[in-house]
């Protein structure tokens, strides 16, 4: 039963199914950061540092704690993630390359897959690990402000902090105050 909860709540917490993903000009994929602001997904070349590593994810969403492991390979060509539950069973694969996001899973019900928006996982990943100048320019086009300080990142809507990211050598913590979810990634990020 716990595995089924993990299976259901992980995608919900990370991608905020209640929001819509859509194309924004010239076929580019975007996600809603706020009701009025879209973030256009950046090309894979925007990553600050290539990675090929295990990452441990703990998340809080709607009072539920979820723990997963992912193998992440991200470089200037693509972002690829394989997700595993606490028992090591594969829950699915997510990729972003050639301007398209793909998610496949043999364990998540097809009815849930119709509402699943994997673009939100890619967007959060980019907010954490992509070039600050590219992020700032993209978010400014959406009417949002991107700030960096002491290795951390913040996204503001006017004077309101809507997303905060704290980074150390071994952890990345993302808090989305607007959509009320948070998660911590553990890995070797230096």
């Amino acid at each position: 039963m716990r595995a089924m909860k993990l299976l259901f709540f992980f995608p919900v917490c990370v991608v905020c199914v209640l929001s819509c993903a859509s194309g924004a000009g010239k076929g580019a994929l975007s996600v809603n950061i706020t009701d009025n602001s879209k973030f256009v997904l950046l090309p894979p070349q925007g990553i600050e540092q290539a990675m090929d590593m295990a990452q441990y994810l703990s998340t809080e969403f709607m009072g539920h704690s979820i723990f997963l492991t992912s193998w992440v390979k991200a470089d200037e060509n693509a972002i690829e993630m394989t997700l595993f539950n606490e028992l090591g069973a594969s829950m699915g694969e997510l990729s972003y390359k050639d301007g398209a996001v793909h998610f496949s899973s043999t364990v998540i019900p097809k009815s849930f897959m119709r509402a699943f928006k994997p673009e939100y996982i890619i967007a959060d990943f980019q907010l954490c690990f992509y070039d600050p100048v590219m992020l700032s320019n993209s978010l400014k086009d959406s009417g949002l402000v991107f700030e960096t300080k002491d290795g951390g990142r913040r996204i503001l809507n006017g004077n309101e902090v809507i997303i905060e990211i704290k980074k150390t050598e071994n952890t990345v913590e993302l808090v989305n105050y607007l959509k009320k979810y948070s998660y911590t990634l553990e890995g070797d990020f230096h």
Side-chain angles (χ1 to χ4, degrees), residues 48-60:
E48 281 187 293
Q49 177 180 331
M51 59 179 70
D52 190 358
M53 68 168 84
Q55 294 181 9
Y56 305 96
L57 171 81
S58 56
T59 186
E60 291 288 326

Side-chain angles (χ1 to χ4, degrees), residues 20-24 28-34 36-43 96 119-128 130-131 134-142 144 146 155 163:
C20 298
S22 63
L29 296 174
S30 67
V31 297
N32 292 336
I33 299 273
T34 70
N36 301 317
S37 301
K38 291 188 183 289
F39 171 65
V40 176
L41 296 182
L42 300 170
Y96 174 60
E119 292 86 352
Y120 280 92
I121 294 174
I122 299 300
D124 281 349
F125 182 86
Q126 289 186 351
L127 293 174
C128 292
Y130 270 47
D131 176 70
M134 289 180 75
L135 288 167
S136 180
N137 290 336
S138 180
L139 290 164
K140 184 168 61 172
D141 291 344
S142 299
L144 302 173
F146 180 81
I155 297 154
I163 297 173

Side-chain angles (χ1 to χ4, degrees), residues 36-108:
N36 301 317
S37 301
K38 291 188 183 289
F39 171 65
V40 176
L41 296 182
L42 300 170
Q45 297 85 356
I47 194 162
E48 281 187 293
Q49 177 180 331
M51 59 179 70
D52 190 358
M53 68 168 84
Q55 294 181 9
Y56 305 96
L57 171 81
S58 56
T59 186
E60 291 288 326
F61 181 71
M62 297 177 65
H64 297 279
S65 297
I66 299 152
F67 304 95
L68 293 169
T69 301
S70 64
W71 191 269
V72 178
K73 182 176 184 203
D75 56 29
E76 66 279 350
N77 299 310
I79 299 170
E80 296 173 296
M81 300 177 185
T82 303
L83 308 171
F84 303 94
N85 67 16
E86 290 178 298
L87 300 174
S90 177
M91 293 181 57
E93 296 180 358
L94 173 66
S95 68
Y96 174 60
K97 58 184 169 185
D98 301 326
V101 175
H102 299 284
F103 181 77
S104 63
S105 174
T106 58
V107 294
I108 296 176

Side-chain angles (χ1 to χ4, degrees), residues 5-14 57 66 68 83 121:
K5 286 182 182 178
L6 286 173
L7 184 65
F8 177 75
F9 286 112
F10 171 71
V12 173
C13 73
V14 177
L57 171 81
I66 299 152
L68 293 169
L83 308 171
I121 294 174

